[in-house]
């Protein structure tokens, strides 16, 4: 909401409108963001913004990827999911990872604008820090020596994948001449 407020009069969550969450059966972050935004715009009759995001570990062929939340299960056991990544990596020296955020802005007439944002770094073990959520304690952005779980929220927001995607969406939808 903090990113969006300078560009609109107000933000109402899908939950506040009583909208049900669509099934996220896309095979990419973009597909899932578009599914969610289009469904919300169609049902609400309002412009809707949705995202899909997750952690991509290079040596695991991109896993957990679009299944990042599913790896944590219904109990949202992200520590268990982080341990699963560490077990699968074992002694693999390639710890490259990145977070992806796909943002989709959908209008009730069916028009979609979609972008992706990234932050690159590495998977670290053991987890460090209590801030953030999900996989933040095991992700260290390139050029930093603290994990997202250790960073101040404002610092993480500045360098993070959501901010990268949002800047791209603003440039696409709100720049002069658009």
């Amino acid at each position: 909401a903090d990113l969006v407020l300078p560009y609109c009069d107000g933000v109402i969550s899908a939950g506040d409108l009583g909208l049900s969450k669509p099934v996220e059966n896309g095979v990419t972050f973009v597909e899932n963001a578009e599914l969610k935004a289009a469904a919300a715009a169609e049902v609400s009759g309002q412009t809707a913004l949705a995202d899909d995001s997750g952690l991509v570990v290079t040596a695991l062929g991109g896993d957990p990827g679009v299944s990042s939340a599913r790896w944590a299960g219904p109990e949202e056991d992200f520590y268990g999911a982080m341990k699963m990544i560490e077990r699968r990596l074992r002694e693999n020296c390639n710890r490259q990872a990145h977070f992806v955020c796909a943002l989709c802005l959908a209008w009730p007439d069916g028009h979609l604008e979609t972008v992706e944002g990234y932050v690159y770094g590495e998977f670290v073990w053991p987890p460090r820090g209590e801030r953030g959520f999900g996989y933040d304690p095991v992700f260290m952005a390139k050029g930093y020596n603290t994990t997202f779980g250790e960073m101040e929220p404002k610092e993480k927001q500045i360098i993070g994948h959501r901010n990268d995607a949002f800047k791209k969406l603003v440039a696409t939808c709100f720049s002069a001449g658009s």
Side-chain angles (χ1 to χ4, degrees):
D2 290 344
L3 293 172
V4 177
L5 287 175
Y7 299 93
C8 61
D9 293 332
V11 177
I12 303 169
S13 74
D16 289 343
L17 290 175
L19 304 181
S20 59
K21 189 175 177 182
V23 176
E24 295 180 44
N25 56 5
V27 296
T28 66
F29 295 108
V30 165
E31 288 176 2
N32 283 335
E34 288 177 346
L35 284 168
K36 292 187 276 189
E42 181 180 349
V43 173
S44 71
Q46 300 180 39
T47 304
L49 178 67
D51 86 316
D52 194 47
S53 59
L55 180 67
V56 173
V57 179
T58 304
L60 299 182
D63 282 341
V66 294
S67 299
S68 290
R70 286 184 284 267
W71 276 38
E75 300 84 26
E76 296 185 2
D77 178 12
F78 280 96
Y79 182 74
M82 291 182 270
K83 281 176 35 180
M84 187 182 328
I85 292 170
E86 176 61 20
R87 278 194 308 271
R88 289 187 180 188
L89 285 174
R90 297 198 180 186
E91 300 300 317
N92 194 318
C93 294
N94 182 358
R95 295 288 171 137
Q96 292 177 344
H98 61 279
F99 274 114
V100 177
C101 174
L103 282 179
C104 178
L105 191 60
W107 284 261
D109 67 3
H111 179 75
L112 304 175
E113 292 289 345
T114 309
V115 296
E116 281 186 298
Y118 308 92
V119 60
Y120 292 91
E122 64 182 88
F123 179 90
V124 297
W125 193 261
R128 300 188 333 231
E130 301 295 322
R131 294 185 172 124
F133 56 90
Y135 298 97
D136 286 353
V138 292
F139 181 79
M140 188 165 47
K142 188 175 182 176
Y144 290 81
N145 59 8
T146 57
T147 68
F148 271 10
E150 296 170 305
M151 278 187 183
E152 292 292 331
K154 286 197 181 283
E155 182 179 19
K156 177 189 158 193
Q157 181 178 336
I158 290 168
I159 66 167
H161 50 303
R162 285 183 181 85
N163 190 47
D164 184 45
F166 194 75
K167 287 189 292 188
K168 292 173 182 175
L169 190 65
V170 167
T172 301
C173 298
F174 299 103
S175 295
S178 293

